[in-house]
Amino acid sequence: MTDGSSLLVVVVDTNPIFWGERELQYQQTPDTLTLSALLDQLSVFVSSFLMLRSNNQIGIIAAHSTCAKFLFPSNTQAEGGGITEFRNVLNSSMLQLATDTNPSENHSATLLSGALSLALCYIRRLTRKDSSINSRILLVSVSPDQPSQFVAMMNAIFSAQKMNVLIDVACQVPASNCAFLKQAASMTNGIFYELKPLDRTLLQHLVTTFLADHSARKHLNIANFVEVDMRAACFCHKTIVDIGYVCSVCLSIFCSFRTSCSTCGTRFSIISKSKLPSRAQLPPPPPPQPETVTTIPI
């Protein structure tokens, strides 16, 4: 571990639609990880992190379906917080979040990009007060990628990369449905760990994989992902594309050709095949220049 204090911001996916499906699965398969079990195991992990050093700090952010909100520290509690008040504040914040949620406004998209942006702003505010803080983000997700959030997610990843903030990902989604989270971990030198769908032993993976900071990980043999899908999502339909058209001004990606860029408004010049010069109309290549040898008198 490093000598300075550490700041860990945990982003928890609290989408009620996906966790509601987990509750239904729990009635048939008791090994299914539920939201209450996740919070209990996360509390133990956070307590272990705070006990590593007295000046360690923690932040918990909920990535909800309609908003991204701080669970800890709360508005009525000082920054940093201790172990004794962490569980009470976390439980009361989750209860308040559930109370403020309107069931008619829920949708399957989780605002992970907004939660990451909020975490980076919180890290930036604390590091301006103390530049010696070692900061990183742990993202616990149960939702698949949302191509509509590609631009916002990439902006957050690039910001974390510039701030030297690691993004670790603990994901209970098949690897084929979380390409953006893999990119976030790969581009920031973090760890991506895929949990099994029916796995309640989350605490074991959190402690053995994500408790050590960046300086200590080089001495450990930690499991990590192998392949990263670096494909991008098009700006027109928000779908993942293999081959697309790129705007030469703002680098926006489109899955089909268009006469102008919908992002920056640049109009593209269209050159048809009939207007291209033929090989006979091309100017002849210049003749080869003879080699010159320069002699130097001795």
mmCIF file with all atom_site columns, all heavy atoms in Angstrom, residues 175-200:
data_model
loop_
_atom_site.group_PDB
_atom_site.id
_atom_site.type_symbol
_atom_site.label_atom_id
_atom_site.label_alt_id
_atom_site.label_comp_id
_atom_site.label_asym_id
_atom_site.label_entity_id
_atom_site.label_seq_id
_atom_site.pdbx_PDB_ins_code
_atom_site.Cartn_x
_atom_site.Cartn_y
_atom_site.Cartn_z
_atom_site.occupancy
_atom_site.B_iso_or_equiv
_atom_site.pdbx_formal_charge
_atom_site.auth_seq_id
_atom_site.auth_comp_id
_atom_site.auth_asym_id
_atom_site.auth_atom_id
_atom_site.pdbx_PDB_model_num
ATOM 1   N N   . ALA A 1 175 ? -19.771 -11.063 -20.539 1.00 0.00 ? 175 ALA A N   1
ATOM 2   C CA  . ALA A 1 175 ? -18.710 -10.207 -21.078 1.00 0.00 ? 175 ALA A CA  1
ATOM 3   C C   . ALA A 1 175 ? -19.078 -9.597  -22.419 1.00 0.00 ? 175 ALA A C   1
ATOM 4   O O   . ALA A 1 175 ? -18.600 -8.524  -22.778 1.00 0.00 ? 175 ALA A O   1
ATOM 5   C CB  . ALA A 1 175 ? -17.411 -11.006 -21.199 1.00 0.00 ? 175 ALA A CB  1
ATOM 6   N N   . SER A 1 176 ? -19.935 -10.274 -23.198 1.00 0.00 ? 176 SER A N   1
ATOM 7   C CA  . SER A 1 176 ? -20.320 -9.752  -24.506 1.00 0.00 ? 176 SER A CA  1
ATOM 8   C C   . SER A 1 176 ? -21.222 -8.530  -24.410 1.00 0.00 ? 176 SER A C   1
ATOM 9   O O   . SER A 1 176 ? -21.396 -7.811  -25.400 1.00 0.00 ? 176 SER A O   1
ATOM 10  C CB  . SER A 1 176 ? -21.028 -10.849 -25.317 1.00 0.00 ? 176 SER A CB  1
ATOM 11  O OG  . SER A 1 176 ? -22.179 -11.308 -24.617 1.00 0.00 ? 176 SER A OG  1
ATOM 12  N N   . ASN A 1 177 ? -21.819 -8.264  -23.240 1.00 0.00 ? 177 ASN A N   1
ATOM 13  C CA  . ASN A 1 177 ? -22.742 -7.147  -23.076 1.00 0.00 ? 177 ASN A CA  1
ATOM 14  C C   . ASN A 1 177 ? -22.172 -6.007  -22.251 1.00 0.00 ? 177 ASN A C   1
ATOM 15  O O   . ASN A 1 177 ? -22.920 -5.134  -21.809 1.00 0.00 ? 177 ASN A O   1
ATOM 16  C CB  . ASN A 1 177 ? -24.040 -7.635  -22.417 1.00 0.00 ? 177 ASN A CB  1
ATOM 17  C CG  . ASN A 1 177 ? -24.792 -8.629  -23.272 1.00 0.00 ? 177 ASN A CG  1
ATOM 18  O OD1 . ASN A 1 177 ? -24.691 -8.607  -24.500 1.00 0.00 ? 177 ASN A OD1 1
ATOM 19  N ND2 . ASN A 1 177 ? -25.538 -9.519  -22.644 1.00 0.00 ? 177 ASN A ND2 1
ATOM 20  N N   . CYS A 1 178 ? -20.875 -6.003  -22.018 1.00 0.00 ? 178 CYS A N   1
ATOM 21  C CA  . CYS A 1 178 ? -20.280 -4.936  -21.197 1.00 0.00 ? 178 CYS A CA  1
ATOM 22  C C   . CYS A 1 178 ? -18.966 -4.468  -21.812 1.00 0.00 ? 178 CYS A C   1
ATOM 23  O O   . CYS A 1 178 ? -17.948 -4.390  -21.125 1.00 0.00 ? 178 CYS A O   1
ATOM 24  C CB  . CYS A 1 178 ? -20.081 -5.399  -19.762 1.00 0.00 ? 178 CYS A CB  1
ATOM 25  S SG  . CYS A 1 178 ? -19.202 -6.964  -19.609 1.00 0.00 ? 178 CYS A SG  1
ATOM 26  N N   . ALA A 1 179 ? -18.988 -4.173  -23.107 1.00 0.00 ? 179 ALA A N   1
ATOM 27  C CA  . ALA A 1 179 ? -17.773 -3.732  -23.808 1.00 0.00 ? 179 ALA A CA  1
ATOM 28  C C   . ALA A 1 179 ? -17.293 -2.393  -23.281 1.00 0.00 ? 179 ALA A C   1
ATOM 29  O O   . ALA A 1 179 ? -16.080 -2.164  -23.150 1.00 0.00 ? 179 ALA A O   1
ATOM 30  C CB  . ALA A 1 179 ? -18.039 -3.646  -25.309 1.00 0.00 ? 179 ALA A CB  1
ATOM 31  N N   . PHE A 1 180 ? -18.212 -1.474  -22.957 1.00 0.00 ? 180 PHE A N   1
ATOM 32  C CA  . PHE A 1 180 ? -17.818 -0.153  -22.474 1.00 0.00 ? 180 PHE A CA  1
ATOM 33  C C   . PHE A 1 180 ? -17.117 -0.242  -21.122 1.00 0.00 ? 180 PHE A C   1
ATOM 34  O O   . PHE A 1 180 ? -16.145 0.480   -20.859 1.00 0.00 ? 180 PHE A O   1
ATOM 35  C CB  . PHE A 1 180 ? -19.036 0.763   -22.369 1.00 0.00 ? 180 PHE A CB  1
ATOM 36  C CG  . PHE A 1 180 ? -19.715 1.020   -23.684 1.00 0.00 ? 180 PHE A CG  1
ATOM 37  C CD1 . PHE A 1 180 ? -21.010 1.516   -23.737 1.00 0.00 ? 180 PHE A CD1 1
ATOM 38  C CD2 . PHE A 1 180 ? -19.072 0.757   -24.878 1.00 0.00 ? 180 PHE A CD2 1
ATOM 39  C CE1 . PHE A 1 180 ? -21.640 1.755   -24.948 1.00 0.00 ? 180 PHE A CE1 1
ATOM 40  C CE2 . PHE A 1 180 ? -19.694 0.988   -26.094 1.00 0.00 ? 180 PHE A CE2 1
ATOM 41  C CZ  . PHE A 1 180 ? -20.977 1.486   -26.126 1.00 0.00 ? 180 PHE A CZ  1
ATOM 42  N N   . LEU A 1 181 ? -17.587 -1.140  -20.254 1.00 0.00 ? 181 LEU A N   1
ATOM 43  C CA  . LEU A 1 181 ? -16.956 -1.292  -18.947 1.00 0.00 ? 181 LEU A CA  1
ATOM 44  C C   . LEU A 1 181 ? -15.566 -1.907  -19.095 1.00 0.00 ? 181 LEU A C   1
ATOM 45  O O   . LEU A 1 181 ? -14.644 -1.562  -18.342 1.00 0.00 ? 181 LEU A O   1
ATOM 46  C CB  . LEU A 1 181 ? -17.832 -2.165  -18.047 1.00 0.00 ? 181 LEU A CB  1
ATOM 47  C CG  . LEU A 1 181 ? -19.248 -1.624  -17.784 1.00 0.00 ? 181 LEU A CG  1
ATOM 48  C CD1 . LEU A 1 181 ? -19.990 -2.543  -16.817 1.00 0.00 ? 181 LEU A CD1 1
ATOM 49  C CD2 . LEU A 1 181 ? -19.188 -0.214  -17.225 1.00 0.00 ? 181 LEU A CD2 1
ATOM 50  N N   . LYS A 1 182 ? -15.400 -2.803  -20.037 1.00 0.00 ? 182 LYS A N   1
ATOM 51  C CA  . LYS A 1 182 ? -14.067 -3.343  -20.311 1.00 0.00 ? 182 LYS A CA  1
ATOM 52  C C   . LYS A 1 182 ? -13.121 -2.252  -20.791 1.00 0.00 ? 182 LYS A C   1
ATOM 53  O O   . LYS A 1 182 ? -11.960 -2.190  -20.386 1.00 0.00 ? 182 LYS A O   1
ATOM 54  C CB  . LYS A 1 182 ? -14.155 -4.460  -21.352 1.00 0.00 ? 182 LYS A CB  1
ATOM 55  C CG  . LYS A 1 182 ? -14.574 -5.808  -20.811 1.00 0.00 ? 182 LYS A CG  1
ATOM 56  C CD  . LYS A 1 182 ? -14.448 -6.867  -21.895 1.00 0.00 ? 182 LYS A CD  1
ATOM 57  C CE  . LYS A 1 182 ? -14.733 -8.251  -21.363 1.00 0.00 ? 182 LYS A CE  1
ATOM 58  N NZ  . LYS A 1 182 ? -14.558 -9.298  -22.389 1.00 0.00 ? 182 LYS A NZ  1
ATOM 59  N N   . GLN A 1 183 ? -13.621 -1.394  -21.667 1.00 0.00 ? 183 GLN A N   1
ATOM 60  C CA  . GLN A 1 183 ? -12.799 -0.292  -22.149 1.00 0.00 ? 183 GLN A CA  1
ATOM 61  C C   . GLN A 1 183 ? -12.422 0.647   -21.016 1.00 0.00 ? 183 GLN A C   1
ATOM 62  O O   . GLN A 1 183 ? -11.291 1.142   -20.958 1.00 0.00 ? 183 GLN A O   1
ATOM 63  C CB  . GLN A 1 183 ? -13.537 0.464   -23.248 1.00 0.00 ? 183 GLN A CB  1
ATOM 64  C CG  . GLN A 1 183 ? -13.772 -0.332  -24.517 1.00 0.00 ? 183 GLN A CG  1
ATOM 65  C CD  . GLN A 1 183 ? -14.525 0.456   -25.573 1.00 0.00 ? 183 GLN A CD  1
ATOM 66  O OE1 . GLN A 1 183 ? -14.567 1.677   -25.550 1.00 0.00 ? 183 GLN A OE1 1
ATOM 67  N NE2 . GLN A 1 183 ? -15.143 -0.251  -26.510 1.00 0.00 ? 183 GLN A NE2 1
ATOM 68  N N   . ALA A 1 184 ? -13.354 0.900   -20.096 1.00 0.00 ? 184 ALA A N   1
ATOM 69  C CA  . ALA A 1 184 ? -13.067 1.780   -18.968 1.00 0.00 ? 184 ALA A CA  1
ATOM 70  C C   . ALA A 1 184 ? -11.950 1.213   -18.104 1.00 0.00 ? 184 ALA A C   1
ATOM 71  O O   . ALA A 1 184 ? -11.039 1.940   -17.687 1.00 0.00 ? 184 ALA A O   1
ATOM 72  C CB  . ALA A 1 184 ? -14.335 1.986   -18.136 1.00 0.00 ? 184 ALA A CB  1
ATOM 73  N N   . ALA A 1 185 ? -11.995 -0.088  -17.819 1.00 0.00 ? 185 ALA A N   1
ATOM 74  C CA  . ALA A 1 185 ? -10.949 -0.700  -17.006 1.00 0.00 ? 185 ALA A CA  1
ATOM 75  C C   . ALA A 1 185 ? -9.621  -0.770  -17.753 1.00 0.00 ? 185 ALA A C   1
ATOM 76  O O   . ALA A 1 185 ? -8.561  -0.524  -17.173 1.00 0.00 ? 185 ALA A O   1
ATOM 77  C CB  . ALA A 1 185 ? -11.391 -2.093  -16.564 1.00 0.00 ? 185 ALA A CB  1
ATOM 78  N N   . SER A 1 186 ? -9.666  -1.080  -19.037 1.00 0.00 ? 186 SER A N   1
ATOM 79  C CA  . SER A 1 186 ? -8.436  -1.218  -19.802 1.00 0.00 ? 186 SER A CA  1
ATOM 80  C C   . SER A 1 186 ? -7.733  0.122   -20.002 1.00 0.00 ? 186 SER A C   1
ATOM 81  O O   . SER A 1 186 ? -6.508  0.220   -19.844 1.00 0.00 ? 186 SER A O   1
ATOM 82  C CB  . SER A 1 186 ? -8.746  -1.851  -21.166 1.00 0.00 ? 186 SER A CB  1
ATOM 83  O OG  . SER A 1 186 ? -7.601  -1.895  -21.983 1.00 0.00 ? 186 SER A OG  1
ATOM 84  N N   . MET A 1 187 ? -8.479  1.172   -20.317 1.00 0.00 ? 187 MET A N   1
ATOM 85  C CA  . MET A 1 187 ? -7.875  2.458   -20.635 1.00 0.00 ? 187 MET A CA  1
ATOM 86  C C   . MET A 1 187 ? -7.372  3.186   -19.397 1.00 0.00 ? 187 MET A C   1
ATOM 87  O O   . MET A 1 187 ? -6.560  4.108   -19.506 1.00 0.00 ? 187 MET A O   1
ATOM 88  C CB  . MET A 1 187 ? -8.882  3.326   -21.392 1.00 0.00 ? 187 MET A CB  1
ATOM 89  C CG  . MET A 1 187 ? -9.277  2.753   -22.739 1.00 0.00 ? 187 MET A CG  1
ATOM 90  S SD  . MET A 1 187 ? -10.603 3.685   -23.536 1.00 0.00 ? 187 MET A SD  1
ATOM 91  C CE  . MET A 1 187 ? -9.795  5.249   -23.826 1.00 0.00 ? 187 MET A CE  1
ATOM 92  N N   . THR A 1 188 ? -7.829  2.815   -18.209 1.00 0.00 ? 188 THR A N   1
ATOM 93  C CA  . THR A 1 188 ? -7.386  3.460   -16.968 1.00 0.00 ? 188 THR A CA  1
ATOM 94  C C   . THR A 1 188 ? -6.502  2.545   -16.124 1.00 0.00 ? 188 THR A C   1
ATOM 95  O O   . THR A 1 188 ? -6.239  2.864   -14.962 1.00 0.00 ? 188 THR A O   1
ATOM 96  C CB  . THR A 1 188 ? -8.599  3.907   -16.139 1.00 0.00 ? 188 THR A CB  1
ATOM 97  O OG1 . THR A 1 188 ? -9.422  2.767   -15.838 1.00 0.00 ? 188 THR A OG1 1
ATOM 98  C CG2 . THR A 1 188 ? -9.429  4.925   -16.900 1.00 0.00 ? 188 THR A CG2 1
ATOM 99  N N   . ASN A 1 189 ? -6.075  1.391   -16.684 1.00 0.00 ? 189 ASN A N   1
ATOM 100 C CA  . ASN A 1 189 ? -5.218  0.431   -15.980 1.00 0.00 ? 189 ASN A CA  1
ATOM 101 C C   . ASN A 1 189 ? -5.913  -0.159  -14.751 1.00 0.00 ? 189 ASN A C   1
ATOM 102 O O   . ASN A 1 189 ? -5.256  -0.478  -13.748 1.00 0.00 ? 189 ASN A O   1
ATOM 103 C CB  . ASN A 1 189 ? -3.890  1.077   -15.564 1.00 0.00 ? 189 ASN A CB  1
ATOM 104 C CG  . ASN A 1 189 ? -3.053  1.500   -16.752 1.00 0.00 ? 189 ASN A CG  1
ATOM 105 O OD1 . ASN A 1 189 ? -3.014  0.807   -17.772 1.00 0.00 ? 189 ASN A OD1 1
ATOM 106 N ND2 . ASN A 1 189 ? -2.399  2.639   -16.644 1.00 0.00 ? 189 ASN A ND2 1
ATOM 107 N N   . GLY A 1 190 ? -7.231  -0.295  -14.834 1.00 0.00 ? 190 GLY A N   1
ATOM 108 C CA  . GLY A 1 190 ? -7.974  -0.906  -13.749 1.00 0.00 ? 190 GLY A CA  1
ATOM 109 C C   . GLY A 1 190 ? -8.152  -2.397  -13.960 1.00 0.00 ? 190 GLY A C   1
ATOM 110 O O   . GLY A 1 190 ? -7.528  -3.012  -14.835 1.00 0.00 ? 190 GLY A O   1
ATOM 111 N N   . ILE A 1 191 ? -9.018  -2.990  -13.163 1.00 0.00 ? 191 ILE A N   1
ATOM 112 C CA  . ILE A 1 191 ? -9.278  -4.428  -13.199 1.00 0.00 ? 191 ILE A CA  1
ATOM 113 C C   . ILE A 1 191 ? -10.737 -4.638  -13.570 1.00 0.00 ? 191 ILE A C   1
ATOM 114 O O   . ILE A 1 191 ? -11.629 -3.997  -13.016 1.00 0.00 ? 191 ILE A O   1
ATOM 115 C CB  . ILE A 1 191 ? -8.979  -5.089  -11.840 1.00 0.00 ? 191 ILE A CB  1
ATOM 116 C CG1 . ILE A 1 191 ? -7.498  -4.961  -11.506 1.00 0.00 ? 191 ILE A CG1 1
ATOM 117 C CG2 . ILE A 1 191 ? -9.386  -6.553  -11.847 1.00 0.00 ? 191 ILE A CG2 1
ATOM 118 C CD1 . ILE A 1 191 ? -7.151  -5.496  -10.138 1.00 0.00 ? 191 ILE A CD1 1
ATOM 119 N N   . PHE A 1 192 ? -10.951 -5.538  -14.512 1.00 0.00 ? 192 PHE A N   1
ATOM 120 C CA  . PHE A 1 192 ? -12.297 -5.958  -14.870 1.00 0.00 ? 192 PHE A CA  1
ATOM 121 C C   . PHE A 1 192 ? -12.468 -7.393  -14.413 1.00 0.00 ? 192 PHE A C   1
ATOM 122 O O   . PHE A 1 192 ? -11.695 -8.281  -14.801 1.00 0.00 ? 192 PHE A O   1
ATOM 123 C CB  . PHE A 1 192 ? -12.534 -5.855  -16.376 1.00 0.00 ? 192 PHE A CB  1
ATOM 124 C CG  . PHE A 1 192 ? -13.900 -6.320  -16.814 1.00 0.00 ? 192 PHE A CG  1
ATOM 125 C CD1 . PHE A 1 192 ? -14.953 -5.432  -16.872 1.00 0.00 ? 192 PHE A CD1 1
ATOM 126 C CD2 . PHE A 1 192 ? -14.120 -7.643  -17.161 1.00 0.00 ? 192 PHE A CD2 1
ATOM 127 C CE1 . PHE A 1 192 ? -16.212 -5.854  -17.265 1.00 0.00 ? 192 PHE A CE1 1
ATOM 128 C CE2 . PHE A 1 192 ? -15.367 -8.079  -17.553 1.00 0.00 ? 192 PHE A CE2 1
ATOM 129 C CZ  . PHE A 1 192 ? -16.417 -7.181  -17.611 1.00 0.00 ? 192 PHE A CZ  1
ATOM 130 N N   . TYR A 1 193 ? -13.487 -7.624  -13.579 1.00 0.00 ? 193 TYR A N   1
ATOM 131 C CA  . TYR A 1 193 ? -13.741 -8.972  -13.063 1.00 0.00 ? 193 TYR A CA  1
ATOM 132 C C   . TYR A 1 193 ? -15.200 -9.304  -13.310 1.00 0.00 ? 193 TYR A C   1
ATOM 133 O O   . TYR A 1 193 ? -16.098 -8.584  -12.866 1.00 0.00 ? 193 TYR A O   1
ATOM 134 C CB  . TYR A 1 193 ? -13.418 -9.053  -11.570 1.00 0.00 ? 193 TYR A CB  1
ATOM 135 C CG  . TYR A 1 193 ? -13.325 -10.471 -11.056 1.00 0.00 ? 193 TYR A CG  1
ATOM 136 C CD1 . TYR A 1 193 ? -12.120 -11.155 -11.078 1.00 0.00 ? 193 TYR A CD1 1
ATOM 137 C CD2 . TYR A 1 193 ? -14.443 -11.129 -10.569 1.00 0.00 ? 193 TYR A CD2 1
ATOM 138 C CE1 . TYR A 1 193 ? -12.014 -12.452 -10.618 1.00 0.00 ? 193 TYR A CE1 1
ATOM 139 C CE2 . TYR A 1 193 ? -14.356 -12.432 -10.115 1.00 0.00 ? 193 TYR A CE2 1
ATOM 140 C CZ  . TYR A 1 193 ? -13.138 -13.090 -10.141 1.00 0.00 ? 193 TYR A CZ  1
ATOM 141 O OH  . TYR A 1 193 ? -13.049 -14.382 -9.689  1.00 0.00 ? 193 TYR A OH  1
ATOM 142 N N   . GLU A 1 194 ? -15.408 -10.391 -14.033 1.00 0.00 ? 194 GLU A N   1
ATOM 143 C CA  . GLU A 1 194 ? -16.769 -10.831 -14.349 1.00 0.00 ? 194 GLU A CA  1
ATOM 144 C C   . GLU A 1 194 ? -17.227 -11.855 -13.314 1.00 0.00 ? 194 GLU A C   1
ATOM 145 O O   . GLU A 1 194 ? -16.616 -12.914 -13.156 1.00 0.00 ? 194 GLU A O   1
ATOM 146 C CB  . GLU A 1 194 ? -16.815 -11.439 -15.746 1.00 0.00 ? 194 GLU A CB  1
ATOM 147 C CG  . GLU A 1 194 ? -18.198 -11.917 -16.161 1.00 0.00 ? 194 GLU A CG  1
ATOM 148 C CD  . GLU A 1 194 ? -18.190 -12.604 -17.506 1.00 0.00 ? 194 GLU A CD  1
ATOM 149 O OE1 . GLU A 1 194 ? -17.135 -12.614 -18.171 1.00 0.00 ? 194 GLU A OE1 1
ATOM 150 O OE2 . GLU A 1 194 ? -19.246 -13.145 -17.893 1.00 0.00 ? 194 GLU A OE2 1
ATOM 151 N N   . LEU A 1 195 ? -18.284 -11.511 -12.604 1.00 0.00 ? 195 LEU A N   1
ATOM 152 C CA  . LEU A 1 195 ? -18.850 -12.407 -11.608 1.00 0.00 ? 195 LEU A CA  1
ATOM 153 C C   . LEU A 1 195 ? -19.862 -13.331 -12.264 1.00 0.00 ? 195 LEU A C   1
ATOM 154 O O   . LEU A 1 195 ? -20.490 -12.977 -13.260 1.00 0.00 ? 195 LEU A O   1
ATOM 155 C CB  . LEU A 1 195 ? -19.521 -11.612 -10.488 1.00 0.00 ? 195 LEU A CB  1
ATOM 156 C CG  . LEU A 1 195 ? -18.627 -10.621 -9.737  1.00 0.00 ? 195 LEU A CG  1
ATOM 157 C CD1 . LEU A 1 195 ? -19.469 -9.797  -8.774  1.00 0.00 ? 195 LEU A CD1 1
ATOM 158 C CD2 . LEU A 1 195 ? -17.524 -11.337 -8.992  1.00 0.00 ? 195 LEU A CD2 1
ATOM 159 N N   . LYS A 1 196 ? -20.040 -14.484 -11.694 1.00 0.00 ? 196 LYS A N   1
ATOM 160 C CA  . LYS A 1 196 ? -21.031 -15.417 -12.202 1.00 0.00 ? 196 LYS A CA  1
ATOM 161 C C   . LYS A 1 196 ? -22.436 -14.904 -11.883 1.00 0.00 ? 196 LYS A C   1
ATOM 162 O O   . LYS A 1 196 ? -22.645 -14.248 -10.870 1.00 0.00 ? 196 LYS A O   1
ATOM 163 C CB  . LYS A 1 196 ? -20.816 -16.797 -11.595 1.00 0.00 ? 196 LYS A CB  1
ATOM 164 C CG  . LYS A 1 196 ? -19.483 -17.433 -11.967 1.00 0.00 ? 196 LYS A CG  1
ATOM 165 C CD  . LYS A 1 196 ? -19.336 -18.792 -11.328 1.00 0.00 ? 196 LYS A CD  1
ATOM 166 C CE  . LYS A 1 196 ? -17.994 -19.430 -11.700 1.00 0.00 ? 196 LYS A CE  1
ATOM 167 N NZ  . LYS A 1 196 ? -17.822 -20.761 -11.067 1.00 0.00 ? 196 LYS A NZ  1
ATOM 168 N N   . PRO A 1 197 ? -23.422 -15.205 -12.748 1.00 0.00 ? 197 PRO A N   1
ATOM 169 C CA  . PRO A 1 197 ? -24.790 -14.711 -12.498 1.00 0.00 ? 197 PRO A CA  1
ATOM 170 C C   . PRO A 1 197 ? -25.353 -15.174 -11.163 1.00 0.00 ? 197 PRO A C   1
ATOM 171 O O   . PRO A 1 197 ? -26.062 -14.418 -10.496 1.00 0.00 ? 197 PRO A O   1
ATOM 172 C CB  . PRO A 1 197 ? -25.586 -15.278 -13.681 1.00 0.00 ? 197 PRO A CB  1
ATOM 173 C CG  . PRO A 1 197 ? -24.573 -15.529 -14.743 1.00 0.00 ? 197 PRO A CG  1
ATOM 174 C CD  . PRO A 1 197 ? -23.311 -15.900 -14.039 1.00 0.00 ? 197 PRO A CD  1
ATOM 175 N N   . LEU A 1 198 ? -25.060 -16.392 -10.759 1.00 0.00 ? 198 LEU A N   1
ATOM 176 C CA  . LEU A 1 198 ? -25.555 -16.912 -9.478  1.00 0.00 ? 198 LEU A CA  1
ATOM 177 C C   . LEU A 1 198 ? -24.375 -17.029 -8.518  1.00 0.00 ? 198 LEU A C   1
ATOM 178 O O   . LEU A 1 198 ? -23.847 -18.102 -8.260  1.00 0.00 ? 198 LEU A O   1
ATOM 179 C CB  . LEU A 1 198 ? -26.233 -18.274 -9.675  1.00 0.00 ? 198 LEU A CB  1
ATOM 180 C CG  . LEU A 1 198 ? -27.426 -18.294 -10.637 1.00 0.00 ? 198 LEU A CG  1
ATOM 181 C CD1 . LEU A 1 198 ? -27.969 -19.693 -10.778 1.00 0.00 ? 198 LEU A CD1 1
ATOM 182 C CD2 . LEU A 1 198 ? -28.514 -17.339 -10.169 1.00 0.00 ? 198 LEU A CD2 1
ATOM 183 N N   . ASP A 1 199 ? -23.944 -15.889 -8.013  1.00 0.00 ? 199 ASP A N   1
ATOM 184 C CA  . ASP A 1 199 ? -22.776 -15.861 -7.143  1.00 0.00 ? 199 ASP A CA  1
ATOM 185 C C   . ASP A 1 199 ? -23.014 -14.862 -6.019  1.00 0.00 ? 199 ASP A C   1
ATOM 186 O O   . ASP A 1 199 ? -23.035 -13.661 -6.236  1.00 0.00 ? 199 ASP A O   1
ATOM 187 C CB  . ASP A 1 199 ? -21.527 -15.474 -7.941  1.00 0.00 ? 199 ASP A CB  1
ATOM 188 C CG  . ASP A 1 199 ? -20.254 -15.711 -7.143  1.00 0.00 ? 199 ASP A CG  1
ATOM 189 O OD1 . ASP A 1 199 ? -20.355 -16.084 -5.965  1.00 0.00 ? 199 ASP A OD1 1
ATOM 190 O OD2 . ASP A 1 199 ? -19.162 -15.540 -7.708  1.00 0.00 ? 199 ASP A OD2 1
ATOM 191 N N   . ARG A 1 200 ? -23.204 -15.372 -4.808  1.00 0.00 ? 200 ARG A N   1
ATOM 192 C CA  . ARG A 1 200 ? -23.402 -14.510 -3.643  1.00 0.00 ? 200 ARG A CA  1
ATOM 193 C C   . ARG A 1 200 ? -22.100 -14.247 -2.891  1.00 0.00 ? 200 ARG A C   1
ATOM 194 O O   . ARG A 1 200 ? -22.096 -13.529 -1.896  1.00 0.00 ? 200 ARG A O   1
ATOM 195 C CB  . ARG A 1 200 ? -24.419 -15.151 -2.693  1.00 0.00 ? 200 ARG A CB  1
ATOM 196 C CG  . ARG A 1 200 ? -25.829 -15.214 -3.252  1.00 0.00 ? 200 ARG A CG  1
ATOM 197 C CD  . ARG A 1 200 ? -26.756 -15.944 -2.294  1.00 0.00 ? 200 ARG A CD  1
ATOM 198 N NE  . ARG A 1 200 ? -26.822 -15.298 -0.997  1.00 0.00 ? 200 ARG A NE  1
ATOM 199 C CZ  . ARG A 1 200 ? -27.679 -14.335 -0.692  1.00 0.00 ? 200 ARG A CZ  1
ATOM 200 N NH1 . ARG A 1 200 ? -28.539 -13.913 -1.604  1.00 0.00 ? 200 ARG A NH1 1
ATOM 201 N NH2 . ARG A 1 200 ? -27.699 -13.794 0.503   1.00 0.00 ? 200 ARG A NH2 1
#
